[in-house]
Amino acid sequence: MNFSSRHHARVLTALEIVRDRPTSYRSAIRSIAMFTVTKCNEYGARFAIEHYAFDRETKRSDILDGIARSIPNEAALICKAQPAALCEWRMAMHAGMAFSPSDLQLIRRQRSDLAILPLECPEAALDETAAFHLIPRAGPGSSTMTKARRAADEAQVLWLTFLTTCCRPNDRISLGSAYQAWLAIENARPLPF
């Protein structure tokens, strides 16, 4: 994680992308979740979640176009940094295929107004944040379906980890408190069925 203390953006979206295999030219996006935090005033915020699932035939470009359209204007976007896929790059080059750009690079091409912050975030930090806030995560070795079901939770955990490790204390306190209040209301809602 980056440990520099910064102000939280006025609008920030945490993006979770679930693939059926590790990122490569053969993997497919199966689910995405976006958790958007909008600071309303010095002590308040609005929270919104978008969570979608896709079949294997859905085009990556269509999914990324939808993500780019859904993120508010001039927002900051946080997402887990993709590990360097040197092995995948070598395989693609050996097969005579061009190595495709990352999801974040393709979103950047469409949305130059976004401040994109790819976060190098150890799983232990995400586990600790999830445990502290009692948010369930898909564990190591979980199925793609389990990861897809937990994508919205994962986006929240990513944002909370960013908030607690990268943001200034006043943002941690005010936005953390607003999130706890929002989460209590969300958890009190009846199930839709």
Side-chain angles (χ1 to χ4, degrees), residues 20-21 26-30 54-59:
D20 57 3
R21 296 183 184 118
R26 291 185 183 143
S27 70
I29 297 173
R30 300 308 304 269
F54 308 98
D55 60 26
R56 191 150 181 34
E57 286 73 41
T58 306
K59 292 181 184 175

Side-chain angles (χ1 to χ4, degrees), residues 13 73-74:
T13 298
N73 292 333
E74 298 183 14

Side-chain angles (χ1 to χ4, degrees), residues 164-183:
T164 57
T165 60
C166 298
C167 293
R168 295 185 178 195
N170 59 339
D171 284 333
R172 285 195 300 260
I173 293 167
S174 63
L175 293 173
S177 297
Y179 172 77
Q180 290 298 327
W182 173 82
L183 189 59

Side-chain angles (χ1 to χ4, degrees), residues 27 33 35 46-47 53 75 84 91 107 112 118 120 132 139 144 154 160 176 179 185 193:
S27 70
F35 181 66
R46 285 189 321 239
F47 302 93
M91 287 174 33
I107 292 169
S112 60
E120 293 181 26
F132 180 80
T144 301
E154 194 71 13
L160 286 163
Y179 172 77
I185 292 169
F193 57 89

